[in-house]
């Protein structure tokens, strides 16, 4: 309803501002840190954003349904183990491609793809166990049962994969 429309409107605004400001900020960081390290500094932009948004989220977002918020223990019921497993799986899956692009595909640590598979499996097992215990998983099983959600994830992934490629193609 109206809450969803408002959320999508805010999402669109953030995407619009970041699309306009991102290349400019990237150019500034490249100029400040130089060519060899400039592109890596782009990832540091997330640190101040996270430092501001995580406390704001803990303060402003509602507590999970049926639970009072216990600020001293776990604000927002964040599944730290699940996030670490998911982050490790994504990093392990992507790192061979990044390192392969720099050092050559033969030199890439392809064994990390196996590590990614193990971490993804552990993530799935952890999330199901956490959900059975009544916790707040990163990816609730009920969410992936909604066809519209799964379709939207597919469309969003395709869009962002293609959209990023447009910048590469235009640059070349």
């Amino acid at each position: 309803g109206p809450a969803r429309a408002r959320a999508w409107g805010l999402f669109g605004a953030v995407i619009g501002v970041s699309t306009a400001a991102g290349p400019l900020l990237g150019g500034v960081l490249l100029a400040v840190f130089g060519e060899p390290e400039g592109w890596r500094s782009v990832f540091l932009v997330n640190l101040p954003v996270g430092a501001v948004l995580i406390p704001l989220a803990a303060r402003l977002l509602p507590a999970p349904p049926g639970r009072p918020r216990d600020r001293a223990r776990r604000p927002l019921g964040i599944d730290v183990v699940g996030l670490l497993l998911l982050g490790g799986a994504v990093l392990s899956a992507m790192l061979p491609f990044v390192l392969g692009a720099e050092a050559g595909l033969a030199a890439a640590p392809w064994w990390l793809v196996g590590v990614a598979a193990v971490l993804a499996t552990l993530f799935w097992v952890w999330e199901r166990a956490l959900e059975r215990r009544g916790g707040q998983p990163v990816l609730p099983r009920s969410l992936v049962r909604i066809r519209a959600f799964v379709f939207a994830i597919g469309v969003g992934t395709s869009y962002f994969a293609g959209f990023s490629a447009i910048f590469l193609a235009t640059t070349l």
Side-chain angles (χ1 to χ4, degrees):
R4 184 177 297 158
R6 182 173 182 260
W8 278 108
L10 289 171
F11 176 70
V14 168
I15 294 295
V17 168
S18 63
T19 301
L24 178 64
L25 181 59
V28 168
L29 291 172
L30 206 68
V32 170
F33 290 104
E35 246 181 80
E37 297 300 321
W39 71 270
R40 288 179 174 97
S41 67
V42 169
F43 299 106
L44 297 175
V45 170
N46 295 326
L47 293 177
V49 171
V52 169
L53 291 182
I54 289 173
L56 275 175
R59 183 170 175 244
L60 299 175
L61 290 177
R67 294 183 180 184
R69 181 177 300 172
D70 181 4
R71 289 185 196 272
R73 287 185 16 151
R74 288 180 21 178
L76 301 177
I78 294 175
D79 175 16
V80 176
V81 173
L83 289 172
L84 289 173
L85 288 169
L86 180 61
V90 171
L91 177 67
S92 298
M94 292 179 67
L95 196 57
F97 294 98
V98 172
L99 295 177
E102 290 180 359
L105 291 178
W110 293 108
W111 57 271
L112 283 173
V113 175
V115 172
V118 169
L119 290 173
T121 303
L122 289 173
F123 170 74
W124 183 81
V125 169
W126 171 262
E127 294 293 287
R128 300 302 67 88
L130 180 64
E131 198 168 24
R132 280 192 301 276
R133 292 191 311 265
Q136 291 286 114
V138 174
L139 186 61
R141 194 176 351 189
S142 60
L143 195 58
V144 294
R145 289 184 183 145
I146 301 170
R147 288 186 69 195
F149 174 78
V150 174
F151 180 72
I153 292 296
V155 169
T157 301
S158 301
Y159 170 78
F160 285 110
F163 194 70
S164 299
I166 288 171
F167 288 118
L168 176 64
T170 12
T171 302
L172 293 176

